[in-house]
Amino acid sequence: MSEILAKWLYQSRRELKLLSLKYGSLTTNRLSFFLILLFAIVPLTLYFLFSGITYSIVQIVASYIFVTLLFGVSIVLVITWFESEKLFQNNVQGFSFVPLSKSRIDIGFFDFDDGDVENLLRLINGLPAEQRIVVRETPKSKQPGNVRFIFTFLDLIVRKGISDMDMTPKESLNMLILERFTFEESEINPSTLPSSYSKWRTATKDGRYDEARKDIAKALGIS
């Protein structure tokens, strides 16, 4: 039963997405009416016309009401699903993240407080931030937090990484960093992000951050 429902939901989402792309000017209400007409009213009408079975007016009307309500509720659920995904994407600039376990994060390595951990978990779960994650001096290196540390950090927790991005995703990455991270004693300078990213990317490809990556991955519990 669950497999049948899963296939039905997949097909419904697929058809709705295709229709949205094809009829982008349709409002949600008009699109919903179109879907109900196409997948509920028309098939049911054809059934009554060609089934060869005689039904009473009450049965016919009841059938239309039931099928319309059923498809209406289904469409609401599908639209709600899509809208929730949009909200998740908007909250994290369209990025998706690998799962992290709070119990496995080495708080001491990052010098995180409870608020930082909570907002990190909110980030990877697509939830709005209550406050920005503070990047401090890391005890192991005794180096103050810097943008390239954040790049390495994100490269490990963003699915597929961030080391090979074109212009549009890099703009989203900059917004993500500015909205979700800050330094302990200063704000992140947005004007330095493009050049810092280029230097970080080159250094990463040359293997200069390999040890740092291993340490951060271990501290995140994903090594």
Side-chain angles (χ1 to χ4, degrees), residues 143-155:
Q143 294 295 317
N146 58 67
V147 172
R148 278 177 263 181
F149 178 89
I150 296 176
F151 286 141
T152 302
F153 185 90
L154 288 173
D155 195 39

Side-chain angles (χ1 to χ4, degrees), residues 11-26:
Q11 189 64 28
S12 298
R13 292 184 64 188
R14 181 176 178 276
E15 295 297 332
L16 183 60
K17 189 168 185 178
L18 289 172
L19 285 169
S20 297
L21 292 173
K22 188 173 182 180
Y23 302 104
S25 62
L26 290 177

Side-chain angles (χ1 to χ4, degrees), residues 7-144:
K7 288 181 179 179
W8 170 82
L9 180 59
Y10 166 77
Q11 189 64 28
S12 298
R13 292 184 64 188
R14 181 176 178 276
E15 295 297 332
L16 183 60
K17 189 168 185 178
L18 289 172
L19 285 169
S20 297
L21 292 173
K22 188 173 182 180
Y23 302 104
S25 62
L26 290 177
T27 64
T28 301
N29 288 338
R30 290 176 62 193
L31 181 58
S32 299
F33 175 78
F34 178 75
L35 287 170
I36 292 173
L37 183 66
L38 181 63
F39 294 108
I41 303 301
V42 171
L44 190 59
T45 300
L46 292 175
Y47 171 77
F48 284 133
L49 288 175
F50 299 106
S51 67
I53 302 174
T54 302
Y55 293 93
S56 68
I57 295 297
V58 174
Q59 288 176 314
I60 293 174
V61 172
S63 297
Y64 277 112
I65 292 174
F66 174 76
V67 170
T68 300
L69 289 175
L70 178 62
F71 271 81
V73 171
S74 300
I75 289 171
V76 168
L77 291 174
V78 173
I79 291 174
T80 301
W81 176 272
F82 277 115
E83 289 301 319
S84 67
E85 286 198 339
K86 282 183 184 178
L87 289 173
F88 279 144
Q89 290 181 351
N90 290 338
N91 282 329
V92 292
Q93 298 297 329
F95 292 101
S96 61
F97 300 85
V98 300
L100 297 177
S101 171
K102 183 177 181 179
S103 63
R104 299 185 64 184
I105 297 174
D106 185 347
I107 298 175
F109 177 89
F110 298 107
D111 200 16
F112 282 161
D113 60 24
D114 290 341
D116 295 321
V117 176
E118 176 65 25
N119 282 285
L120 173 59
L121 295 176
R122 293 179 71 86
L123 171 65
I124 65 172
N125 286 289
L127 299 172
E130 293 182 345
Q131 61 188 35
R132 287 181 292 176
I133 300 166
V134 180
V135 179
R136 302 176 177 86
E137 176 186 273
T138 57
K140 185 178 179 72
S141 64
K142 297 300 181 184
Q143 294 295 317

